[in-house]
Amino acid sequence: MPLDDVAAELPLPLRGLDLAFANFLQQAQSSANPQHALLAALTSYQYGRGHACLDLDLLATQGASALGWDGSLQARLPRDLACAAASLPWIAGADSPLVLQGSRLYLRRNWNAEQSIRAAIDARLQQVCAVPENLPDLLHTLFPEPPGSGSAVPQAKAPDWQKVACALAARKRLTLITGGPGTGKTTTVVRLLALLDAAASRADCPLRVALAAPTGKAAARLGESIASALQQLPPGMRPATPPQAVTLHKLLQVHSSPSGAAAPALAVDLVIVDEASMIDLEMMERLLAAVPLSAQLILLGDKDQLASVEAGAVMAQLCEGALAGNYAADTVAWVRSMAAADLGPWAVAPATPEAATALAQQTVMLRHSRRFRDDSGIGIWATAVNAGDSRSVRALWGKTPEWAPGVAAVVDRLPVAQAQDARITALVKHGWSDWLDTLQALESAPCSDGQAWQALQAFARFQLLCAVREGAWGVDLLNRRIAKALGFKDAGWYAGRPVMVTRNDYNLGLMNGDVGLCLPHAKGLRVAFADGQGGIRWVLPARLDAVETVFAMTVHKSQGSEFEHVCLVLPERPVAVLTRELLYTGITRAKSRLSLLVPQSEVLFRAVDAKVLRSGGLAQSAAAG
């Protein structure tokens, strides 16, 4: 039976692409069991939702919930649907379009990617690095003990996790470093660069380094953060020429290579990739293939942030046991001898020795935030949301003051029922007051590079972040309303229009996520972008064919960014994308102030209870490693 007929009979909310895939398989090799075509369509459907596979155990026990469907659809799923996977006609042979591995049903491309990633990780972890003979001395220089502290390691003293990360990274070809905002991932990278550069210089062999991030914005921020942090290093340990950060697409020649071309072989000794939680399965596979086994690979990211838009939650799965540590006895002893740090409290539990995998020994979680304390307003909200503690979030909501002009609060709320509420305009004008003043000063004369830089910096201090694109509380309508409220046009090019690049443009040197401002220039209206070197790149508006107005942006687009003041906007009703990961990511973009624009508080509380559970086998692969 064609799946179109099955879907019409049930019916189920499948995409046309999913139905076409199942019908293609049916035409290539017919099956009389209609559940086979439905399983194929659901596997394709889950891939479209970012899952590496269809988890048959979840399908059997949670059904519609596992598919992100409303519970009312549960009765439309055949009860024994998961059991039919074993008799699928499209899983036989080395080139079968589907792969059944245990309780996970994959599209072959995703299964191949997972296998490739697993093999590459295993191969890297088997490589032995030549640890610098003076590693303890280098670590002591980069992480000096506070005045008055003894040489012994106090049992009650928490480890310096940045120091631990640098020590472990020096001994293997792969290290995962995860941590929330402000925990010092960039600082760790800079000190690791200094450590490895010093060791390479001693061996009279210059260190070849590549820095990358998934988006242009994240790459620019990584480069700027590293350039700033290098100045804090001890004299004599600053690399002479800090490397420039690029996008992963550029590093791996994704767009410049023919379709399907193999990853380039990178001539490097060290590759550092920031915002690794945004890397999908196929990009991770390409990255691991491009970095030679002779080079060290460092992946940085927050395992609790939103995963990649495309399929896979690679960083989250690989760092699944990072909180517990699960360090083996030899790792604990080695770190004590090299970094004078005690990892005993994070040693693997005797009851679960299998958790001390090779990958766990090279995974470090940075735990101390220097951006905001756990007992600060933003820190408390972030911790409660990340833990899925909806009871605490309800209590916090009740104690959070309402936003009002002139009232200083680290976290405030704006419980408005209508998107036309005048208080929203007041909040926006207050948040961008410095930027609006800067624009007003530019009305009488063309804008200089220095003024453009100031305008960009002023605009970036405040940002509205939305959970959704459409609807009354989505990016599209809010951008138009805010433009009108601020006295701008709601379409076309005008002085003051903020825009975000939505597609990499290598000819213009602009990357997806770059933000610019349309400003009056001596040659007419031009769009000013920061060039990553402290200067300005001016672009004719007509040359920008992939930009959108960005008074408001989605939380997904904000990854890799930070703002002094964030207004997080939720929709009036629950939607599938509204999860604790999205809330956590949006909240932690704020450095010093957070405003919560929430039409219905129950939507907030339900989102805290909703966790992204992307199906895939990398966590199991890591556990078996």
Side-chain angles (χ1 to χ4, degrees):
M1 178 186 299
L3 187 61
D4 292 338
D5 296 340
V6 176
E9 181 182 339
L10 290 174
L12 295 172
L14 294 169
R15 304 174 303 167
L17 178 63
D18 308 323
L19 300 176
F21 173 69
N23 285 327
F24 170 78
L25 296 183
Q26 184 76 340
Q27 291 169 8
Q29 187 176 358
S30 178
S31 169
N33 187 343
Q35 294 187 8
H36 288 163
L38 183 53
L39 282 170
L42 291 177
T43 304
S44 171
Y45 175 79
Q46 289 293 75
Y47 171 66
R49 295 180 61 232
H51 294 266
C53 63
L54 174 65
D55 189 316
L56 298 171
D57 285 343
L58 285 178
L59 183 65
T61 58
Q62 300 183 27
S65 175
L67 300 168
W69 294 348
D70 186 88
S72 62
L73 296 174
Q74 178 63 50
R76 300 181 185 176
L77 287 171
R79 292 185 179 181
D80 57 346
L81 180 58
C83 298
S87 58
L88 278 165
W90 310 304
I91 59 175
D95 297 320
S96 60
L98 298 176
V99 176
L100 180 62
Q101 184 175 56
S103 62
R104 298 186 296 274
L105 182 61
Y106 291 86
L107 299 177
R108 177 161 288 279
R109 62 185 295 180
N110 290 346
W111 185 82
N112 285 342
E114 277 199 2
Q115 298 308 301
S116 177
I117 290 170
R118 177 180 181 179
I121 288 175
D122 289 345
R124 303 197 72 82
L125 293 174
Q126 291 171 16
Q127 301 297 308
V128 178
C129 286
V131 177
E133 294 180 1
N134 59 338
L135 180 59
D137 295 333
L138 290 172
L139 290 170
H140 182 73
T141 302
L142 291 166
F143 300 92
E145 290 287 337
S149 62
S151 58
V153 182
Q155 293 300 313
K157 180 181 175 182
D160 184 334
W161 290 104
Q162 294 184 24
K163 186 176 183 180
V164 171
C166 285
L168 290 175
R171 72 174 191 167
K172 289 287 185 179
R173 301 298 189 194
L174 175 67
T175 305
L176 308 182
I177 302 175
T178 185
T183 52
K185 294 187 291 293
T186 302
T187 303
T188 303
V189 163
V190 168
R191 295 184 181 182
L192 177 61
L193 271 172
L195 187 155
L196 297 178
D197 187 72
S201 298
R202 185 172 181 178
D204 196 24
C205 183
L207 190 69
R208 300 169 298 173
V209 182
L211 301 178
T215 67
K217 185 193 307 182
R221 182 164 166 256
L222 174 64
E224 292 167 2
S225 299
I226 285 180
S228 174
L230 282 172
Q231 305 307 312
Q232 310 302 319
L233 289 174
M237 293 203 71
R238 298 173 187 170
T241 54
Q244 293 295 314
V246 299
T247 64
L248 267 179
H249 285 77
K250 185 173 183 179
L251 179 69
L252 303 178
Q253 301 174 15
V254 171
H255 291 305
S256 58
S257 300
S259 178
L266 301 176
V268 291
D269 303 304
L270 172 66
V271 176
I272 298 171
V273 182
D274 196 13
E275 297 293 346
S277 62
M278 299 169 67
I279 304 177
D280 59 57
L281 269 178
E282 291 190 16
M283 187 65 80
M284 184 63 76
E285 179 187 20
R286 190 173 180 86
L287 172 65
L288 289 167
V291 180
L293 285 178
S294 59
Q296 288 164 283
L297 174 61
I298 314 295
L299 298 179
L300 303 166
D302 185 346
K303 67 180 180 64
D304 298 316
Q305 274 190 199
L306 284 166
S308 61
V309 175
E310 303 298 331
V314 179
M315 191 70 174
Q317 290 188 30
L318 294 180
C319 294
E320 193 173 68
L323 181 62
N326 292 320
Y327 296 114
D330 58 346
T331 300
V332 173
W334 189 88
V335 170
R336 177 183 287 274
S337 66
M338 292 292 173
D342 181 15
L343 299 187
W346 293 270
V348 65
T352 56
E354 68 279 0
T357 64
L359 184 59
Q361 310 315 298
Q362 289 302 118
T363 302
V364 180
M365 183 173 177
L366 306 181
R367 301 159 193 262
H368 175 60
S369 176
R370 292 163 176 80
R371 181 184 298 181
F372 37 72
R373 304 188 314 273
D374 288 342
D375 60 353
S376 72
I378 298 174
I380 291 173
W381 271 89
T383 300
V385 168
N386 197 28
D389 188 351
S390 56
R391 178 179 295 181
S392 293
V393 171
R394 285 177 183 271
L396 287 171
W397 178 257
K399 294 186 293 185
T400 299
E402 289 197 20
W403 180 88
V407 176
V410 175
V411 181
D412 51 51
R413 61 188 175 110
L414 194 58
V416 295
Q418 300 294 328
Q420 294 83 6
D421 194 304
R423 289 178 294 173
I424 299 176
T425 299
L427 186 152
V428 168
K429 287 183 176 179
H430 182 270
W432 272 315
S433 58
D434 290 345
W435 175 63
L436 294 171
D437 290 342
T438 302
L439 287 182
Q440 190 172 11
L442 299 176
E443 293 179 353
S444 57
C447 182
S448 67
D449 283 14
Q451 290 172 316
W453 176 261
Q454 291 176 354
L456 283 166
Q457 294 296 102
F459 179 78
R461 293 188 193 112
F462 173 73
Q463 186 63 57
L464 280 93
L465 302 181
C466 300
V468 296
R469 291 199 63 88
E470 300 176 351
W473 304 100
V475 165
D476 296 338
L477 279 178
L478 277 177
N479 270 318
R480 292 201 290 271
R481 288 183 179 136
I482 292 170
K484 184 177 180 180
L486 296 180
F488 298 118
K489 296 189 297 183
D490 63 357
W493 289 101
Y494 52 85
R497 181 190 178 193
V499 295
M500 174 184 283
V501 177
T502 59
R503 187 174 64 240
N504 293 345
D505 188 328
Y506 294 98
N507 292 325
L508 295 177
L510 298 175
M511 299 293 113
N512 183 12
D514 285 349
V515 173
L517 284 174
C518 185
L519 297 169
H521 188 264
K523 297 180 180 180
L525 286 181
R526 294 291 186 273
V527 183
F529 293 90
D531 65 3
Q533 311 286 324
I536 294 294
R537 177 187 295 113
W538 295 95
V539 181
L540 187 70
R543 299 193 65 189
L544 296 171
D545 59 355
V547 294
E548 59 186 24
T549 302
V550 71
F551 290 110
M553 70 174 70
T554 62
V555 174
H556 277 88
K557 285 287 189 181
S558 75
Q559 290 188 90
S561 301
E562 58 185 22
F563 311 93
E564 292 294 332
H565 182 185
V566 162
C567 177
L568 181 59
V569 184
L570 301 190
E572 74 278 17
R573 60 177 60 90
V575 291
V577 299
L578 193 52
T579 63
R580 76 179 64 158
E581 288 84 359
L582 184 139
L583 289 179
Y584 171 79
T585 302
I587 288 169
T588 55
R589 298 311 91 199
K591 293 176 65 177
S592 58
R593 186 168 186 179
L594 171 68
S595 297
L596 297 167
L597 201 166
V598 181
Q600 297 290 337
S601 59
E602 284 300 321
V603 172
L604 169 67
F605 307 144
R606 284 186 59 174
V608 175
D609 290 329
K611 180 173 176 58
V612 173
L613 293 173
R614 284 198 173 179
S615 300
L618 283 177
Q620 290 83 353
S621 297

